[in-house]
Amino acid sequence: MEKYLIKRRLFCCLLLFITACNYKVDNNRNISANQNSISDELNIDEDFKAIAQAKKFVKQGDLILRTGRDFTSDMMRRMSTTDKTYSHCGIASFENDTLFVYHAIGGEWNPDQKLRRDTFEFFCNPYENKGFGIFRYSLSNNEQLKVDSTIQDFYHSGTIFDMQFNLETNDRLYCSEFVYKTIEIATSDRVKISVDTMNSIKFIAVDNLFINAFCKQITRIKFPE
């Protein structure tokens, strides 16, 4: 067990090293924001209009993805092997006429580390994201109901973020693992989502969630830089 934990810590460090080596700070965007604040605010208004328009296409249980602007998001994005567009993910849920996105997140954004429930607008907001996407799994009515109940089970049990990226545990989940296991449970493993391996450690990259025969794209929105 001790050897396994050491190996997993090395795996997490390796991910950080690989992504950090490829990370470049975009100072130009900050300069632009200072020099063109009025223009930027107009762009933000347009971005929120795009979010409102896209919201009309969302259905219960849809996969919602986003591209964060921060370093950690860039790190997670680079873990994908085929499509590196998105850094974070969650599952849509309509409750009392409000569209929420359930998602697993850690760090400074979520001090208690528990599974979050945020409004669609907050999850996709252009202040912190470069864009977002909506994707949909092919699910039966019974599977859709199971997705809903599984989300609620994870949420009300206080599931916390998994900093060890360990697929063997269910009491701790990282973002793509949360979606993966929800779909896996809801479909009794009928919907197949591929698993990647690095340094003999298995993990779910964000692009594994939507690059498969059981998931279709609804829309992709990229905010103007």
Side-chain angles (χ1 to χ4, degrees), residues 11 28 45 48 51 64 93 97 123 126 132 150 154 182-183 193 207 220 223:
F11 164 71
N28 292 328
D45 287 342
F48 275 111
I51 292 173
I64 312 298
S93 179
D97 298 324
F123 184 86
F132 65 96
T150 302
F154 281 133
T182 296
I183 298 301
I193 297 175
D207 65 340
R220 290 182 184 232
F223 301 135

Side-chain angles (χ1 to χ4, degrees), residues 123-185:
F123 184 86
C124 301
N125 83 84
Y127 291 106
E128 298 175 350
N129 298 289
K130 298 178 181 179
F132 65 96
I134 303 169
F135 291 76
R136 184 169 300 150
Y137 291 105
S138 299
L139 303 173
S140 68
N141 290 336
N142 286 337
E143 288 172 339
Q144 183 60 70
L145 291 173
K146 186 63 175 176
V147 165
D148 297 342
S149 63
T150 302
I151 290 173
Q152 295 303 320
D153 287 345
F154 281 133
Y155 182 70
H156 290 293
S157 65
T159 303
I160 63 175
F161 187 77
D162 185 3
M163 291 297 295
Q164 297 299 320
F165 291 83
N166 187 356
L167 279 178
E168 303 302 319
T169 60
N170 286 335
D171 60 327
R172 296 171 180 264
L173 302 171
Y174 54 93
C175 66
S176 50
E177 181 188 10
F178 162 63
V179 175
Y180 166 78
K181 289 191 172 176
T182 296
I183 298 301
E184 180 182 57
I185 292 169

Side-chain angles (χ1 to χ4, degrees), residues 55-98:
K55 181 180 178 180
K56 299 176 182 178
F57 300 104
V58 179
K59 291 186 177 181
Q60 187 79 10
D62 278 356
L63 170 65
I64 312 298
L65 301 131
R66 71 186 187 192
T67 307
R69 296 184 183 277
D70 58 286
F71 170 77
T72 303
S73 294
D74 190 72
M75 178 187 76
M76 297 303 297
R77 184 173 60 82
R78 293 174 187 275
M79 286 176 63
S80 294
T81 57
T82 303
D83 187 330
K84 299 179 182 294
T85 303
Y86 300 109
S87 57
H88 190 55
C89 54
I91 300 177
S93 179
F94 286 93
E95 300 170 17
N96 298 322
D97 298 324
T98 300

